[in-house]
Amino acid sequence: MQWFKNRKTMPKLILRFALVGWACAFGLGHFDATDALAQTPEQERLAVHLATLFRAGRAVISENQKLINDETKGDKGLTAEKVVGLAKENYKKATNKELRTDRGTLEGKLTQAMLESMKEVMDKAQGLINKPGVGFKGFLPATFGHRVAETFKKKVEDTASIKLTAPKSYVRNRANAPDTWEDQIIESKLKANDWTKNKAYAEMGEHKGKPAYRLLIPEYYGASCLDCHGEPKGEKDITGGKKEGGKLDEVGGAISVVIYTK
Ligand code: HEC
């Protein structure tokens, strides 16, 4: 396709994610794309949809972190079905729309794959989550996000992928490390002094040698994040990992979505 060859000259699409309800860490991202929608491809709609659903699921883990870490309880009742149900509710809160899960459409197929990934990750985690007498279990929103993303990728590899990544200097789990494009956009755009907070970046580019629509949504360190990702750099946090030395409101991560266009 022409645009692929000419992608350097393609107008870049820049989206704005307005966030509501961030009182709670890892709350729901609310997307406001009125400016961008008029000239946007179908891929953008799908990518935004996937990011919103991914965040809706991760928010469930954040909202239930205290329960997950409760050493006095065995069975937490945080089953896969429950998490998927709450993720759907969060999605509806963020978008005012019901999820479309009909497999006849690409959106339905990707939605199903994402919900199934959440279910599988939660099913596998039941033993850990329900272990009595253990407080902190290392089951965090980022852990859930990473596992869901990996599972999802395997299911729809040829169509789409999603990833929770971070600025290179702040990566904890190497599997989340940014690729060349993600690193470049995080450093040159999302972290730029004049970049509007919560504005996402998107362009027609490539991924693994294939033409793709790519979307990168910044995420920021809030106060609660700094217990683990803050200062002093190198000090051990509750997970046993080393703190990154991050500061309040700094770009601490990004959600990267790929929708292949061929
Ligand atoms: C209890 C400690 C803890 C808290 C609180 C915490 N994180 Fe993390 N974070 C981690 C750990 C541990 C990982 C690595 C997870 C894994 O192995 O995939 C991680 C991973 C991440 C990643 C993925 C990239 C990477 O480095 O692997 C991002 C982005 C991230 N955290 C952002 C945040 C943000 C934003 C907040 C606050 C809303 C937050 N974290 C709160 C411990 C924490």
Side-chain angles (χ1 to χ4, degrees), residues 43-187:
Q43 287 89 5
E44 178 174 300
R45 200 181 59 77
L46 285 173
V48 167
H49 162 70
L50 284 178
T52 308
L53 184 54
F54 180 76
R55 281 176 149 176
R58 189 182 53 172
V60 176
I61 303 309
S62 177
E63 289 152 7
N64 285 283
Q65 191 74 70
K66 266 207 187 117
L67 173 67
I68 293 169
N69 293 356
D70 187 347
E71 64 179 5
T72 67
K73 272 205 186 107
D75 188 354
K76 313 285 189 300
L78 196 64
T79 60
E81 289 69 25
K82 182 143 187 217
V83 169
V84 168
L86 291 170
K88 285 180 181 170
E89 276 178 31
N90 280 345
Y91 179 89
K92 202 176 168 188
K93 264 186 244 163
T95 62
N96 254 326
K97 276 189 293 193
E98 296 287 345
L99 275 178
R100 287 173 52 192
T101 52
D102 40 321
R103 283 188 191 269
T105 65
L106 182 54
E107 178 177 340
K109 199 179 129 201
L110 293 174
T111 302
Q112 281 286 356
M114 180 68 80
L115 295 176
E116 276 164 22
S117 302
M118 289 178 189
K119 182 178 177 302
E120 284 170 31
V121 167
M122 288 314 296
D123 273 337
K124 279 196 194 135
Q126 288 304 304
L128 173 68
I129 290 176
N130 293 332
K131 217 173 195 174
V134 182
F136 184 73
K137 302 170 184 69
F139 194 78
L140 300 164
T143 326
F144 172 82
H146 173 70
R147 291 180 193 170
V148 168
E150 288 295 307
T151 313
F152 178 76
K153 228 183 286 177
K154 282 184 201 135
K155 289 185 190 296
V156 294
E157 219 156 27
D158 299 332
T159 316
S161 80
I162 194 162
K163 169 181 170 190
L164 176 64
T165 186
K168 229 180 195 171
S169 55
Y170 284 171
V171 171
R172 268 227 192 182
N173 179 348
R174 277 200 190 172
N176 295 330
D179 67 16
T180 310
W181 181 83
E182 288 158 346
D183 176 44
Q184 203 187 322
I185 302 301
I186 289 172
E187 297 303 324

Side-chain angles (χ1 to χ4, degrees), residues 14-49:
I14 292 172
L15 318 174
R16 176 192 295 266
F17 278 75
L19 300 178
V20 288
W22 278 82
C24 135
F26 288 120
L28 297 165
H30 172 72
F31 179 63
D32 172 13
T34 39
D35 295 347
L37 278 180
Q39 33 122 23
T40 42
E42 171 69 358
Q43 287 89 5
E44 178 174 300
R45 200 181 59 77
L46 285 173
V48 167
H49 162 70

Side-chain angles (χ1 to χ4, degrees), residues 9 17 26 42 104 114 137 195 198 213 218 221 238 262:
T9 58
F17 278 75
F26 288 120
E42 171 69 358
M114 180 68 80
K137 302 170 184 69
W195 191 259
N198 294 320
Y213 171 87
Y221 285 143
I238 183 179
K262 240 191 220 162

